[in-house]
């Protein structure tokens, strides 16, 4: 998700959106009152979306720079990794640990691992840009 957000931000800041909005404004000026209102509404929605994307990207970028954020994330990710490792080891080597299955952890775990890899990719990309 973060990677997608960064792509949208790059597109939004590339000037293409501004050119498209100027085109829409010129086109709206040539139309009747109803078309102008409809075009202005669309233009404002696009501007709001671009602004929201910029704000969210800044938030993402700033929170990755704080140790407290990574500590908080580790509170969830490290126990999940320990649990998954126990499940895998018990399943493969038949240790007989009887590790409990926790369906919520299985579902959330996939989301957390996906988030972790997307976050890592984003952080690596930001570091490369510096």
């Amino acid at each position: 998700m973060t990677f997608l957000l960064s792509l949208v931000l790059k597109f939004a800041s590339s000037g293409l959106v501004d050119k498209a909005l100027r085109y829409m404004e010129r086109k709206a000026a040539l139309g009747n009152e109803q078309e102008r209102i409809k075009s202005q509404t669309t233009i404002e929605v696009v501007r709001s979306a671009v602004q929201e994307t910029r704000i969210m990207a800044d938030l993402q970028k700033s929170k990755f720079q704080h140790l407290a954020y990574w500590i908080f994330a580790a509170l969830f990710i490290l126990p999940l990794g320990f649990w998954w490792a126990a499940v895998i080891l018990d399943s493969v080597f038949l240790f007989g640990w009887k590790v409990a299955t926790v369906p919520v952890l299985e579902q959330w775990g996939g989301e957390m691992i996906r988030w972790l890899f997307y976050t890592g990719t984003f952080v690596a990309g930001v570091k490369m840009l510096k």
Side-chain angles (χ1 to χ4, degrees):
M1 181 68 174
T2 307
F3 176 71
L4 187 60
L5 185 65
S6 67
L7 287 178
V8 171
L9 182 63
K10 284 181 184 178
F11 174 74
S13 63
S14 69
L16 292 173
V17 173
D18 292 329
K19 289 178 185 177
L21 291 176
R22 282 194 298 273
Y23 169 76
M24 290 174 71
E25 287 171 342
R26 284 193 303 269
K27 187 176 177 185
L30 299 174
N32 63 28
E33 186 65 27
Q34 185 178 2
E35 290 173 358
R36 269 186 288 227
I37 291 171
K38 185 177 177 181
S39 294
Q40 283 303 113
T41 302
T42 303
I43 290 167
E44 291 306 315
V45 167
V46 170
R47 282 190 179 135
S48 296
V50 168
Q51 184 62 23
E52 180 183 2
T53 302
R54 287 179 180 151
I55 290 169
M56 292 306 294
D58 288 343
L59 172 65
Q60 292 291 344
K61 192 175 175 181
S62 67
K63 74 181 181 183
F64 294 147
Q65 298 172 357
H66 297 286
L67 179 62
Y69 172 77
W70 292 107
I71 291 171
F72 182 72
L75 289 174
F76 293 93
I77 293 170
L78 293 177
L80 175 69
F82 179 74
W83 176 75
W84 265 357
V87 168
I88 291 168
L89 290 173
D90 191 33
S91 298
V92 172
F93 298 109
L94 304 173
F95 288 134
W97 293 342
K98 298 180 183 175
V99 179
T101 60
V102 184
V104 171
L105 276 182
E106 292 171 6
Q107 179 185 359
W108 289 356
E111 294 296 320
M112 283 194 280
I113 296 302
R114 183 177 20 245
W115 169 85
L116 179 65
F117 285 112
Y118 287 153
T119 301
T121 303
F122 178 77
V123 170
V126 168
K127 287 183 178 181
M128 286 175 45
L129 292 175
K130 288 184 178 184

